[in-house]
Amino acid sequence: MAHAHKPAVLEELLRREDADRLEIICGEIVEKASPSPRHSRTTRKLGAAIDPFDRKPGGVEPGGWWLFTEIHVGYAHGHSEVYCHDAAGWRRDRSPTEPAGWPVRLRPDWVCESVSPKHQKRDLVDKPRVLHAAEVPHYWTIDPEDRVLIVHRWSRDGYVAIRQATAGETIRAEPFDAIEIKLGVLFGDEDD
């Protein structure tokens, strides 16, 4: 007989001393995957690549975004879902002030998850379902092991993969298509 699980609530998560390493996925408190060195480096390199957007618009750089790594965002999806996204961003024209709170309650405009081998279902199935319901416009998955980036765009019927690329390619990927991203740099094959 299957056991019914009581959905985790945010208050339970907030009482935990290790809340910064936890998420609520499918109504259960789970530990966020510990990043491998490759995972950590890829996420850091991605942040550096899109950093020109993390400023006010109108300067020399593209600007127009608030960008964060390892940020907790809360979603209402039948029950509370709290994800510690590897990277997420908010357009400044929609959020004139920096998103605040723990977890942030304002829906991001872009999310990127670095796929972890033991948590693929969470990154490729569970989270995208909730992000789609919340109408997050852009969802990227980056796989440091297989060295692949997949760029998804929201559509009414589900996320649509609009760009797939691998190490050795230089791409422009929405919503950051004002710049080129060298995937070899993200995956540690090339220097900046």
Side-chain angles (χ1 to χ4, degrees):
M1 175 189 276
H3 296 282
H5 294 288
K6 179 183 151 220
V9 293
L10 182 58
E11 291 75 27
E12 289 178 56
L13 182 66
L14 292 173
R15 285 194 295 267
R16 301 275 301 261
E17 289 182 22
D18 57 348
D20 62 330
R21 292 299 311 154
L22 301 173
E23 299 178 287
I24 301 176
I25 300 177
C26 298
E28 294 187 41
I29 295 175
V30 297
E31 189 172 338
K32 179 165 173 59
S34 295
S36 68
R38 183 175 287 175
H39 175 120
S40 180
R41 184 166 190 227
T42 299
T43 302
R44 183 179 62 78
K45 291 287 191 174
L46 173 65
I50 63 172
D51 186 65
F53 291 90
D54 191 19
R55 53 192 41 85
K56 293 179 184 177
V60 176
E61 304 283 358
W65 287 79
W66 301 105
L67 297 172
F68 302 89
T69 59
E70 297 294 320
I71 186 162
H72 283 78
V73 179
Y75 300 91
H77 185 69
H79 47 265
S80 293
E81 295 280 304
V82 177
Y83 301 152
C84 182
H85 293 303
D86 291 311
W90 288 259
R91 291 184 182 275
R92 290 183 186 222
D93 59 357
R94 195 172 66 83
S95 178
T97 59
E98 182 178 85
W102 196 101
V104 173
R105 287 295 190 179
L106 181 63
R107 172 197 52 83
D109 294 296
W110 167 79
V111 167
C112 181
E113 292 295 345
S114 187
V115 179
S116 300
K118 294 181 182 178
H119 294 96
Q120 289 177 327
K121 180 183 174 285
R122 291 178 184 161
D123 294 334
L124 301 175
V125 179
D126 299 333
K127 289 181 180 182
R129 286 180 179 163
V130 172
L131 297 177
H132 180 262
E135 298 185 10
V136 174
H138 304 279
Y139 182 62
W140 291 13
T141 55
I142 191 163
D143 187 328
E145 300 304 319
D146 289 336
R147 299 154 33 115
V148 174
L149 169 68
I150 303 176
V151 176
H152 302 87
R153 180 190 305 145
W154 188 92
S155 77
R156 182 177 304 259
D157 296 327
Y159 281 110
V160 177
I162 59 166
R163 186 77 162 100
Q164 300 162 358
T166 189
E169 294 183 59
T170 299
I171 66 165
R172 291 182 181 270
E174 65 180 50
F176 306 112
D177 49 354
I179 63 168
E180 290 185 335
I181 299 174
K182 291 183 175 185
L183 293 183
V185 172
L186 298 186
F187 297 124
D189 300 331
E190 303 172 32
D191 290 329
D192 298 334

